[in-house]
Amino acid sequence: MQMKTQRNEKQLLITLIMLITIIGLSSCRPKSATSAFSEDAAVKTYVAPGNYDEFYNFVSGGFSGQLAIYGLPSGRLLKVIPVFSVNAENGWGFSEETKPMLNTSFGEVPWDDSHHPNLSMTNGEYDGRWVFINANNTPRIARIDLKTFKTVEMLELPNSAGNHPSAFVTENTEYIVAGTRFSIPPDYVDGDVPITSYKENFKGHISFISVDPVTGEMKLSFQLAVPGFNYDLSHPGKGKSHGWFFFTCYNSEQAHTHLEVNASQNDKDFVLAVNWKKIEEHLRAGKGEKVKCRYAHNMYDEKTHTATSKIFEETTVLNVEDLKDCLYYIPCPKSPHGIDVDPSGEYIVASGKLATVIPVFSFDKIQKAIEEKSFEGETEGINIINYEAALYGEVQNPGLGALHTEFDEKGNAYTSFFVSSEIVKWNVKDLQVLDRIPSTYSIGHLSVMGGDTKKPYGKYLVAYNKITKDRFLPTGPELAQCAQLIDISGDKMKLLLDFPTIGEPHYAVALPADMIKDKQIQFYNLAENKHPYVARSQKEAKVVREGNVVRVYMTAIRSHMAPDNIEGIMLGDTVYFHLTNIEQEWDIPHGFAVKGNTNAELLVMPGETQTLKWVPSRTGIFSFYCTDFCSALHQEMQGYARVSAKGSNVPLSYTLDDKTTGK
Ligand code: RUQ
Ligand code: CUA
């Protein structure tokens, strides 16, 4: 039986949606935008020169595809970690070693959209080892190592589209879980079907990616084929609800066109509750089917300083028939977006974008409802738990356009409201609204320090706002997005600071600086460099011809590149500059650029080898130089390459220590 739906007057609905869209888009300035400003804000956010911030804030770049790191409370930008997009600052996706990281079953994808960083956890608390983050468009999960702040792994997800409810981490990092925002025909069937056959042919897939507890290596463990709705966001259970996963889904109407109207018909959509511990039992009992599909798995090796990309051809899929006692839908008002689980694991908060209340579900009541079969029907073979039977209560009149909720250490929840541009603080037990503070303007995600763990740190909340008109100096048609730091240590929320962000921030997480700041790798050990084209000292520098390929084994150290004169390159050659930075000191990278190269440049860390490919297109003399001002004689860190006509008799030669070799 399909869930009972109440059809509103279509026209009324369209008007409502238009109204919400207009309010949302014009983001009228809340009247008291500066009223809650804390008088001692300057003192609370001032990190004196030479002092460190208290937290690392890992902020998704949204459409930039990267992950940015800010210090809190200062809001200072510390680094942009390239993840899903090529990055000119450090050659990510341009050097031969990093190109395979962006490989997918479709080939190289140089730019994606990243939303939800999540930190690795032990016992439901951050352990400071890795950050995971999702690519939405061409579905992937990346792993970033917090010793190097470098993306070291990338796993593509087959059978998925719009990998939005991702990358959420279970209590002991057993799994990273991901889902399908856009249902599609799976890769293992012929997807060449009419779009109007959505109901028969389109499916959602939920992916469980296991994580090696020691190395962190990810593996696509299994997938669940679920009804073709839009799975939007998710969170794992914790504590008593550990072993469960909760997803929101909208478009229970299964519309495939004009979703803003056609997917807003039903008064309630669903939360999907998944008992993954039970699914593991079914897998052990041999359930699940191996299906054909293609997906890339890319690993970056910190010893060879080189990424490799492998294509896998198979995964295990469980169907709804295998999962009768593992999957349940819970009705949820209306077009839900975020779903968040409180630190105790008992309260599950879903945020309906078009709902007038925030429903809070009780894990205990869900268990009881399943036991007592308090179902109000089923859809596509999945039981629908009775709304009242699962409901703990509703937060009444909280605001308009609820999106996301995080928690502090004192039993409070903080929900972001996109349309009414505000953060609302409420008590998780009695569901009473305690305080509200305007955001400037349309807030998407918010992040309480440790707000998704079993033991939040509290103290600060950061609002990540969109459509930030008039907060910063105008910069042409595109304005910076605005993050706002809010003091949540007292009863009333107090605004402390605005800071601009790169790309469009979605979710963000924060780690106490003390947890990782003394564990950073300062340089790569040159003796352990296993790169096949390493030159560990100037003595090992050389130029070698292999047919049409010229390999330059080059070293860089303040303030010399060796070799620095190269002759005998010919048109038709492909030149690889294998540059090893032979420094063994913190924060002394060298750069490398050669005139006219249509590829890019390099930035090479101490002890590392990186390769720049150059296919010269004309004859002449080409200068190259170090692009990072590394020393007093940095300007002298330069050289020349001579390119001759194809078949010329200029012999291959190069200079080392003022001596020319090869002539
Ligand atoms: S989603 S607001 Cu990925 Cu809420 Cu960003
Ligand atoms: Cu090396 Cu400048």
Side-chain angles (χ1 to χ4, degrees):
M1 187 195 86
Q2 276 288 339
M3 181 188 142
K4 249 203 275 164
T5 63
Q6 198 187 321
R7 296 268 159 181
N8 296 335
E9 279 264 35
K10 199 162 178 174
Q11 205 44 51
L12 196 75
L13 185 74
I14 294 171
T15 316
L16 176 76
I17 290 161
M18 273 168 50
L19 199 72
I20 286 178
T21 312
I22 290 163
I23 297 170
L25 290 182
S26 64
S27 14
C28 40
R29 183 175 187 149
K31 288 206 179 55
S32 50
T34 52
S35 62
F37 189 81
S38 171
E39 280 120 53
D40 51 359
V43 176
K44 286 189 165 154
T45 59
Y46 183 66
V47 178
N51 287 2
Y52 291 150
D53 276 291
E54 198 181 338
F55 288 94
Y56 286 97
N57 192 197
F58 299 89
V59 183
S60 62
F63 52 70
S64 85
Q66 317 295 46
L67 180 68
I69 299 159
Y70 300 83
L72 294 178
S74 73
R76 297 181 294 193
L77 174 64
L78 305 177
K79 187 178 174 70
V80 174
I81 302 177
V83 188
F84 296 111
S85 301
V86 295
N87 201 28
E89 187 185 358
N90 39 31
W92 184 255
F94 294 109
S95 71
E96 294 307 299
E97 287 79 1
T98 56
K99 277 178 184 170
M101 288 303 280
L102 298 176
N103 191 42
T104 71
S105 63
F106 300 90
E108 188 188 326
V109 173
W111 184 359
D112 211 304
D113 174 28
S114 65
H115 278 218
H116 312 120
N118 252 232
L119 288 157
S120 57
M121 298 216 206
T122 302
N123 281 325
E125 291 178 62
Y126 301 148
D127 58 25
R129 295 193 291 168
W130 307 298
V131 189
F132 301 91
I133 188 167
N134 62 320
N136 260 312
N137 180 38
T138 303
R140 280 166 293 166
I141 307 287
R143 179 168 59 92
I144 292 138
D145 189 333
L146 288 179
K147 289 196 295 299
T148 53
F149 280 54
K150 189 166 190 156
T151 306
V152 291
E153 188 176 5
M154 200 83 87
L155 179 68
E156 188 182 353
L157 301 174
N159 305 316
S160 303
N163 172 35
H164 192 251
S166 159
F168 297 104
V169 176
T170 57
E171 196 165 289
N172 293 299
T173 321
E174 294 94 338
Y175 293 108
I176 314 298
V177 179
T180 318
R181 184 169 137 222
F182 310 127
S183 285
I184 46 162
D187 300 346
Y188 49 86
V189 300
D190 180 8
D192 180 11
V193 296
I195 297 168
T196 48
S197 71
Y198 186 105
K199 285 191 179 151
E200 305 97 82
N201 290 321
F202 289 44
K203 285 253 165 277
H205 277 76
I206 290 170
S207 305
F208 281 74
I209 298 133
S210 61
V211 179
D212 185 287
V214 177
T215 64
E217 188 170 334
M218 300 186 286
K219 187 173 153 249
L220 180 55
S221 193
F222 58 92
Q223 293 188 308
L224 315 176
V226 290
F229 304 144
N230 293 35
Y231 297 84
D232 200 16
L233 275 157
S234 63
H235 261 103
K238 37 174 101 89
K240 59 159 80 167
S241 53
H242 177 54
W244 286 73
F245 228 96
F246 304 95
F247 291 80
T248 48
C249 41
Y250 64 100
N251 194 18
S252 54
E253 298 85 351
Q254 297 190 297
H256 51 81
T257 174
H258 253 295
L259 261 68
E260 74 279 22
V261 172
N262 294 333
S264 305
Q265 299 293 324
N266 293 345
D267 268 353
K268 290 202 175 68
D269 293 278
F270 295 117
V271 164
L272 175 65
V274 179
N275 182 346
W276 58 260
K277 282 260 155 114
K278 197 147 231 155
I279 294 172
E280 285 181 331
E281 286 171 26
H282 291 327
L283 280 163
R284 279 194 290 270
K287 291 240 180 89
E289 200 190 321
K290 294 249 186 269
V291 298
K292 290 263 162 272
C293 53
R294 282 169 59 76
Y295 58 100
H297 182 213
N298 312 333
M299 291 288 283
Y300 196 88
D301 183 327
E302 297 273 33
K303 290 278 185 280
T304 60
H305 303 287
T306 302
T308 44
S309 177
K310 267 196 223 147
I311 298 287
F312 285 76
E313 309 267 348
E314 193 177 74
T315 187
T316 302
V317 171
L318 291 106
N319 287 299
V320 168
E321 304 83 72
D322 304 325
L323 302 168
K324 265 270 165 207
D325 54 351
C326 311
L327 300 186
Y328 301 92
Y329 281 123
I330 305 166
C332 183
K334 170 161 189 151
S335 300
H337 183 61
I339 184 155
D340 300 278
V341 180
D342 92 306
S344 75
E346 164 65 6
Y347 302 105
I348 299 137
V349 181
S351 305
K353 304 186 292 278
L354 303 177
T356 52
V357 297
I358 306 173
V360 179
F361 298 102
S362 149
F363 181 71
D364 288 344
K365 286 186 78 178
I366 293 170
Q367 298 310 301
K368 192 154 168 275
I370 292 169
E371 228 166 83
E372 295 174 353
K373 299 199 166 25
S374 305
F375 302 137
E376 58 176 64
E378 62 160 59
T379 186
E380 304 200 23
I382 298 175
N383 284 315
I384 302 171
I385 297 176
N386 179 280
Y387 177 66
E388 295 292 338
L391 188 72
Y392 173 70
E394 292 169 339
V395 182
Q396 298 296 328
N397 302 316
L400 263 183
L403 291 187
H404 299 282
T405 300
E406 288 242 305
F407 306 90
D408 69 10
E409 76 289 17
K410 296 179 236 165
N412 300 307
Y414 301 81
T415 302
S416 59
F417 289 86
F418 180 83
V419 177
S420 53
S421 288
E422 60 186 330
I423 297 162
V424 174
K425 173 181 175 181
W426 50 277
N427 182 283
V428 177
K429 282 267 157 62
D430 66 20
L431 308 180
Q432 293 306 306
V433 171
L434 301 171
D435 190 24
R436 50 182 80 229
I437 189 170
S439 60
T440 43
Y441 298 97
S442 307
I443 180 174
H445 276 273
L446 45 70
S447 171
V448 172
M449 306 299 100
D452 66 339
T453 70
K454 273 159 88 170
K455 292 207 180 122
Y457 309 112
K459 188 164 180 178
Y460 303 117
L461 175 156
V462 187
Y464 301 94
N465 306 326
K466 302 156 196 304
I467 319 171
T468 302
K469 298 200 171 77
D470 80 19
R471 284 311 264 196
F472 303 115
L473 285 173
T475 50
E478 196 207 0
L479 303 174
Q481 319 274 342
C482 178
Q484 294 189 294
L485 182 74
I486 290 161
D487 179 352
I488 55 165
S489 58
D491 287 343
K492 294 275 164 210
M493 293 179 275
K494 285 187 184 150
L495 177 61
L496 296 177
L497 180 76
D498 282 7
F499 59 97
T501 56
I502 62 138
E504 182 195 6
H506 288 261
Y507 189 49
V509 281
L511 261 189
D514 286 340
M515 193 183 274
I516 57 168
K517 81 172 179 355
D518 300 323
K519 296 183 183 156
Q520 301 300 298
I521 286 183
Q522 302 189 339
F523 54 84
Y524 297 102
N525 187 335
L526 192 59
E528 289 173 10
N529 182 324
K530 297 267 161 12
H531 193 290
Y533 301 107
V534 62
R536 285 188 199 81
S537 68
Q538 290 196 20
K539 271 194 233 90
E540 293 177 23
K542 60 185 171 188
V543 181
V544 177
R545 174 176 285 286
E546 298 165 0
N548 287 336
V549 168
V550 176
R551 294 193 184 277
V552 183
Y553 295 64
M554 186 181 271
T555 59
I557 190 163
R558 285 159 291 175
S559 305
H560 186 63
M561 281 182 292
D564 64 356
N565 286 184
I566 304 165
E567 296 194 11
I569 296 166
M570 290 182 286
L571 282 185
D573 285 345
T574 297
V575 182
Y576 291 102
F577 292 100
H578 303 292
L579 184 71
T580 303
N581 177 345
I582 58 175
E583 306 274 357
Q584 292 288 269
E585 195 183 324
W586 199 7
D587 194 31
I588 307 289
H590 292 286
F592 182 79
V594 57
K595 182 187 166 183
N597 188 6
T598 53
N599 178 16
E601 303 177 6
L602 295 176
L603 188 70
V604 188
M605 297 304 124
E608 187 185 42
T609 306
Q610 291 283 289
T611 300
L612 188 68
K613 182 178 169 182
W614 177 42
V615 183
S617 59
R618 54 177 95 154
T619 60
I621 301 294
F622 295 82
S623 54
F624 55 81
Y625 71 107
C626 168
T627 52
D628 185 316
F629 203 107
C630 53
S631 58
L633 296 176
H634 155 80
Q635 293 297 78
E636 281 70 14
M637 222 171 152
Q638 64 160 73
Y640 292 108
R642 175 181 171 191
V643 177
S644 305
K646 200 173 176 129
S648 101
N649 55 11
V650 178
L652 193 68
S653 69
Y654 53 95
T655 52
L656 283 181
D657 291 332
D658 294 331
K659 284 198 268 304
T660 303
T661 314
K663 267 204 167 138

